[in-house]
């Protein structure tokens, strides 16, 4: 209990540091949300707009105002889209990105684990080499190359799936696969090397000697011990996949979260930059925390210490 | 019967002194030589190395093999499919894709190698100091803690924000991108180095050196560093492709090298719009080469990792 409390406090502190740093960096970048309008609109109008979004106040005041709103989970208005707030943007984009990310995650974990385990069981045989070739290919081909290829063949040539955009479940298949390829390959390689390590252990021989079936040995003794390195890799992965990836969303014209983040930086849309950054950090930190907790479930020998890292 | 017969005929007492008991039968091989031999035995790793040499060769000499430069435009010969004149075809502005692709290889490889080397130097320094100072009194722990907090914070601020800040403040170009990539990129190298040092300095030979009064510098250079070399080299073979990836990503969102300079990332990005209209060569050549380079670095790195592992049995 004490561990969890301490951890929660550190998480809050980290988010505060990230917020502050992002705030400082983003205001150091020259220009403001209205600098691109400065030739079109008269000076008074611009000043009125700045006043509306509190941009005329000194930075420390803006900072305190932002933190105050943040404390009540209000991420402020989006300057670029005028009528919508950052909370609305996230509420609209998240389900899309999260659905894609979740599907990609399931594909990557299930096939990655399977591929890795099979490769380790057939160590140095053809199946092993085939599985690892797939894995290395998955790491080698960047998503912005894989995605157009998928579109070209599955959508244009064979007409099996829609080319792009968002609508039915069919629209989600290609982007999910494109998102999953890289992580799948990494998970497969982690799993393989970690399984190879575990398979050498004496307790595996013991399990074999006491007459446990092959499947039982692999599932009960092998996977459970081999999965820890895989799990620690998954923290950042989960956060990245759930909050949308810009490249895939751009290629498939998907209205997810990734787009807002990149666009907002270009537009100097301060509230959206801060809002999406904080949102991403919260997801990342919470996932890392959950993963630390899950270590305990996977391997009871691991003690949770409040000293972190 | 049989047993007795074989016993008599097959076994003879050994003459004294005919076999030297403690003779060293194989020449003593240094770790480096042994690792090199093991890499050569790994076919996949050798393939990777050969591919890398090929790409390097064409990056150096490729652009000079054709009479076009990477920026020569000729609208009359735009969007040509590969043929005898334009080996990789041309893009929409009529620029020769062969020249652009190999010129892009130069840019991408330069960015990859330069960013990885900067990461390495900073990562070694920070990770080394942090790991060496940890557990060395109150001051040492404080230094270690401070450096690691900096690392954690750098880890969590969105790196795109930092990159854009830099690109706005500095002039866009090759070296700005290198700096932008390495400003956050050294973090993982620092963590790896620190972890390694923490582990190695627990071992007996370091304690022995310390008891003998060896100065800190010598311990670091002669005892810690050689033991980490393997993992550092392997890490390097993974950071170079990562940097190439990152550059391609930056180019993809329009923050990479500026036209008319080409990199594989910008070329792939330019090709996205036309892939559906059948100009496959626009995406294929840069895309294929990025993938091939990644593949080569990965298998070569894997081979090195196995070969440099001192726990592997000599066979």
């Amino acid at each position: 209990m004490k561990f969890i409390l301490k951890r929660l406090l550190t998480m809050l502190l980290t988010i505060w540091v990230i917020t502050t740093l992002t705030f400082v960096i983003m205001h150091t970048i020259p220009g403001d949300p209205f600098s691109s309008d400065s030739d079109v609109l008269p000076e008074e109008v611009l000043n009125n707009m700045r006043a509306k979004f509190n941009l005329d106040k000194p930075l420390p005041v803006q900072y305190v105002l932002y933190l105050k709103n943040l404390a009540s989970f209000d991420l402020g208005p989006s300057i670029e889209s005028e009528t919508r707030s950052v909370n609305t943007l996230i509420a609209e984009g998240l389900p899309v990105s999260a659905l894609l990310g979740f599907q990609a995650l399931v594909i990557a974990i299930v096939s990655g684990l399977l591929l890795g385990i099979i490769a380790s069981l057939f160590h140095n045989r053809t199946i092993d080499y085939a599985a690892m070739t797939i894995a290395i290919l998955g790491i080698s081909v960047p998503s912005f190359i894989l995605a157009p290829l998928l579109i070209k063949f599955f959508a244009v040539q064979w007409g099996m799936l829609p080319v792009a955009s968002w609508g039915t479940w069919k629209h989600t298949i290609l982007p999910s696969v494109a998102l999953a390829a890289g992580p799948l390959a990494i998970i497969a390689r982690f799993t393989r090397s970690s399984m190879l390590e575990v398979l050498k252990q004496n307790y595996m021989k013991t399990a074999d000697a006491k007459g446990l079936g092959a499947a039982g040995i692999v599932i009960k003794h092998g996977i459970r011990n081999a999965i820890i390195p895989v799990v620690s890799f998954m923290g950042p992965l989960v956060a990245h996949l759930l909050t949308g990836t810009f490249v895939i969303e751009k290629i498939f014209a998907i209205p997810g979260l990734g787009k807002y983040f990149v666009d907002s930086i270009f537009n100097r849309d301060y509230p959206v930059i801060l809002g999406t950054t904080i949102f991403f950090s919260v997801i990342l930190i919470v996932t890392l925390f959950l993963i630390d907790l899950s270590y305990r479930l996977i391997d009871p020998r691991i003690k949770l210490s409040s000293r972190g890292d | 019967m049989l047993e007795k017969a074989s016993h008599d005929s097959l076994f003879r007492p050994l003459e004294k002194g005919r076999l030297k008991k403690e003779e060293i039968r194989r020449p003593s091989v240094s770790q480096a030589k042994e690792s090199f031999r093991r890499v050569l035995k790994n076919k996949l790793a050798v393939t990777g190395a050969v591919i890398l040499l090929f790409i390097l060769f064409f990056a150096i000499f490729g652009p000079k093999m054709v009479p076009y430069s990477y920026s020569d435009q000729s609208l009359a010969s735009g969007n040509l499919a590969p043929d005898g004149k334009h080996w990789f075809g041309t893009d929409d502005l009529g620029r020769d894709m062969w020249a652009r692709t190999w010129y892009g290889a130069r840019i991408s490889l330069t960015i990859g190698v330069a960013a990885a080397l900067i990461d390495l130097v900073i990562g070694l320094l920070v990770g080394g100091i942090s790991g060496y100072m940890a557990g060395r009194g109150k001051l040492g722990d404080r230094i270690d803690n401070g450096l690691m907090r900096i690392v954690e914070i750098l880890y969590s601020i969105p790196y795109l924000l930092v990159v854009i800040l830099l690109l706005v403040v500095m002039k866009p170009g090759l070296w700005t991108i290198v700096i932008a990539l390495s400003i956050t990129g050294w973090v993982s190298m620092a963590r790896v180095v620190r972890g390694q040092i923490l582990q190695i300095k627990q071992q007996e030979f370091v304690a022995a050196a310390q008891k003998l009064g060896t100065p800190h510098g010598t311990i670091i250079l002669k005892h810690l560093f050689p033991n980490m070399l393997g993992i550092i080299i392997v890490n390097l073979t993974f950071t170079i492709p990562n940097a190439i990836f990152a550059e391609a990503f930056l180019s993809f969102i329009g923050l990479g090298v500026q036209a008319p300079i080409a990199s594989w990332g910008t070329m792939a990005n330019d090709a996205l719009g036309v892939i559906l209209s059948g100009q496959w060569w626009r995406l294929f050549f840069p895309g294929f080469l990025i993938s091939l380079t990644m593949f080569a670095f990965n298998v070569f790195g894997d081979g090195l990792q196995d070969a440099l592992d001192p726990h592997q049995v000599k066979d």
Side-chain angles (χ1 to χ4, degrees):
Chain A
M1 222 33 233
K2 199 179 158 210
F3 162 76
I4 294 179
L5 263 182
K6 246 189 164 169
R7 199 52 199 266
L8 283 177
L9 270 180
T10 337
M11 280 156 69
L12 272 182
L13 195 72
T14 319
I15 288 169
W16 173 71
V17 171
I18 293 172
T19 311
T20 312
L21 270 174
T22 312
F23 189 89
V24 172
I25 295 176
M26 125 192 139
H27 280 284
T28 332
I29 302 179
D32 74 5
F34 307 110
S35 48
S36 56
D37 303 327
S38 56
D39 340 316
V40 206
L41 295 173
E43 191 60 33
E44 298 87 61
V45 177
L46 287 180
N47 284 339
N48 271 337
M49 303 262 272
R50 288 194 179 111
K52 186 185 167 208
F53 292 107
N54 289 326
L55 292 175
D56 54 340
K57 301 201 168 63
L59 277 184
V61 179
Q62 289 187 38
Y63 176 66
V64 173
L65 276 176
Y66 188 83
L67 282 190
K68 246 189 211 163
N69 285 336
L70 184 63
S72 56
F73 301 105
D74 177 9
L75 297 170
S78 160
I79 299 176
E80 197 62 26
S81 72
E82 281 158 20
T83 51
R84 292 189 294 173
S85 70
V86 180
N87 293 43
T88 330
L89 287 188
I90 293 180
E92 283 172 7
L94 182 68
V96 175
S97 293
L99 174 68
L100 267 194
F102 179 71
Q103 290 191 168
L105 206 62
V106 172
I107 299 176
I109 293 177
V110 172
S111 2
L113 279 178
L114 267 179
L115 214 58
I117 291 168
I118 292 174
S120 72
L121 292 180
F122 294 89
H123 187 210
N124 279 341
R125 283 198 256 163
T126 321
I127 297 180
D128 181 21
Y129 293 135
M132 280 308 105
T133 311
I134 296 176
I136 292 180
L137 281 182
I139 297 174
S140 306
V141 182
S143 58
F144 55 85
I145 307 284
L146 181 66
L149 284 181
L150 287 177
I151 294 179
K152 186 162 169 44
F153 288 106
F154 286 92
V156 180
Q157 215 112 321
W158 301 328
M160 288 156 65
L161 295 162
V163 172
S165 94
W166 192 251
T168 60
W169 181 72
K170 271 190 156 183
H171 287 93
T172 67
I173 298 177
L174 286 185
S176 302
V177 172
L179 264 182
L184 186 160
I186 300 177
I187 290 178
R189 291 177 76 185
F190 265 121
T191 311
R192 174 178 174 267
S193 61
S194 148
M195 272 297 277
L196 283 179
E197 201 66 34
V198 168
L199 289 178
K200 274 190 266 177
Q201 303 291 325
N202 282 331
Y203 54 76
M204 296 301 279
K205 285 178 200 148
T206 311
D208 193 22
K210 77 179 184 193
L212 218 60
I217 300 178
V218 170
I219 293 168
K220 257 192 109 175
H221 298 271
I223 297 177
R224 192 159 170 191
N225 280 298
I227 212 168
I228 292 251
V230 184
V231 171
S232 24
F233 161 75
M234 274 195 271
L237 179 74
V238 171
H240 274 288
L241 286 184
L242 289 187
T243 48
T245 51
F246 175 72
V247 176
I248 295 294
E249 287 178 6
K250 185 182 166 195
I251 294 178
F252 287 96
I254 290 167
L257 271 182
K259 188 188 76 178
Y260 290 124
F261 178 63
V262 178
D263 286 353
S264 69
I265 296 181
F266 284 109
N267 295 330
R268 312 277 186 280
D269 194 341
Y270 296 140
V272 182
I273 301 181
L274 271 175
T276 43
T277 304
I278 294 171
F279 184 72
F280 174 74
S281 325
V282 170
I283 299 244
L284 177 68
I285 292 171
V286 171
T287 339
L288 289 180
F289 174 58
L290 289 180
I291 280 183
D292 278 358
L293 285 184
S294 76
Y295 285 151
R296 191 67 204 268
L297 288 179
I298 299 169
D299 188 346
R301 284 172 304 184
I302 292 179
K303 286 234 166 62
L304 298 172
S305 83
S306 46
R307 274 187 53 114
D309 80 321
Chain B
M1 275 292 283
L2 193 71
E3 269 169 36
K4 192 160 187 307
S6 66
H7 191 88
D8 288 341
S9 60
L10 290 178
F11 293 93
R12 273 170 285 121
L14 190 67
E15 279 172 45
K16 245 186 190 173
R18 253 196 66 196
L19 281 175
K20 289 180 203 140
K21 260 194 207 148
E22 300 196 355
E23 186 191 28
I24 295 169
R25 294 186 133 214
R26 44 199 275 174
S28 101
V29 179
S30 70
Q31 172 71 14
K33 258 191 186 161
E34 172 67 20
S35 308
F36 187 65
R37 197 182 63 87
R38 265 188 243 155
V39 174
L40 284 187
K41 264 183 67 182
N42 184 335
K43 287 194 193 86
L44 213 51
V46 176
T47 317
V50 171
I51 293 176
L52 286 180
L53 286 179
F54 253 102
I55 291 173
L56 193 65
F57 174 82
F58 279 109
I60 296 172
F61 299 107
K64 297 202 183 86
M65 290 178 182
V66 287
Y68 321 96
S69 99
Y70 67 93
S71 58
D72 282 350
Q73 300 184 10
S74 112
L75 291 176
S77 55
N79 285 330
L80 293 178
D83 58 16
K85 218 170 137 211
H86 297 283
W87 298 335
F88 282 3
T90 60
D91 66 3
D92 47 346
L93 296 173
R95 293 178 290 202
D96 181 57
M97 286 283 291
W98 170 276
R100 278 182 82 67
T101 303
W102 293 116
Y103 183 80
R106 278 188 201 179
I107 302 290
S108 292
L109 287 177
T110 311
I111 290 175
V113 173
L117 285 181
I118 297 178
D119 285 357
L120 173 70
V121 172
I122 305 179
L124 262 184
L125 270 177
V126 175
I129 293 174
S130 192
Y132 198 71
M133 291 319 264
R136 217 165 275 281
K138 241 192 182 152
L139 180 70
D141 271 338
R142 249 184 223 161
I143 294 175
D144 175 43
N145 256 324
L147 287 175
M148 281 304 107
R149 287 303 87 74
I150 294 176
V151 163
E152 261 165 34
I153 288 169
L154 271 178
Y155 212 63
S156 54
I157 40 173
Y159 108 113
L160 203 56
L161 211 61
V162 183
V163 172
I164 291 176
L165 173 70
L166 265 175
L167 292 178
V168 174
V169 177
M170 294 165 64
K171 261 189 282 165
L174 183 71
W175 294 106
T176 312
I177 291 178
V178 170
I179 293 174
L181 289 182
S182 38
I183 212 164
T184 47
W186 59 269
V187 171
S188 60
M189 183 62 96
R191 288 172 82 124
V192 168
V193 171
R194 175 173 177 270
Q196 277 289 305
I197 292 216
L198 284 182
Q199 201 186 358
I200 295 171
K201 77 174 189 182
Q202 302 292 332
Q203 293 183 7
E204 288 79 3
F205 62 89
V206 178
Q210 276 168 345
K211 293 276 145 22
L212 289 170
T214 318
H216 286 313
T218 319
I219 291 186
I220 293 175
L221 281 179
K222 286 231 146 151
H223 295 291
L224 296 183
F225 190 66
N227 277 296
M228 305 190 310
L229 204 58
I231 211 142
I232 289 172
I233 293 175
V234 170
N235 217 301
L236 211 55
T237 61
F238 293 123
T239 19
I240 295 176
N242 276 345
I244 296 179
F245 243 64
E247 186 276 330
F249 172 71
L250 286 184
S251 299
F252 187 83
I253 62 173
L255 290 171
V257 289
Q258 302 296 310
I261 299 177
S263 79
W264 288 340
T266 51
M267 295 175 73
N269 187 25
D270 290 346
L272 274 189
V274 298
I275 173 99
L276 293 184
S277 51
Q279 297 159 24
W280 55 269
W281 61 90
R282 292 281 304 278
L283 184 70
F284 176 78
F285 293 111
F288 177 71
L289 280 170
I290 297 181
S291 310
L292 194 67
T293 312
M294 300 295 141
F295 174 81
F297 268 116
N298 270 308
V299 291
F300 185 58
D302 276 359
L304 271 185
Q305 189 161 24
D306 289 347
L308 290 170
D309 181 0
H311 301 298
Q312 281 233 342
V313 197
K314 289 186 185 182
D315 52 355

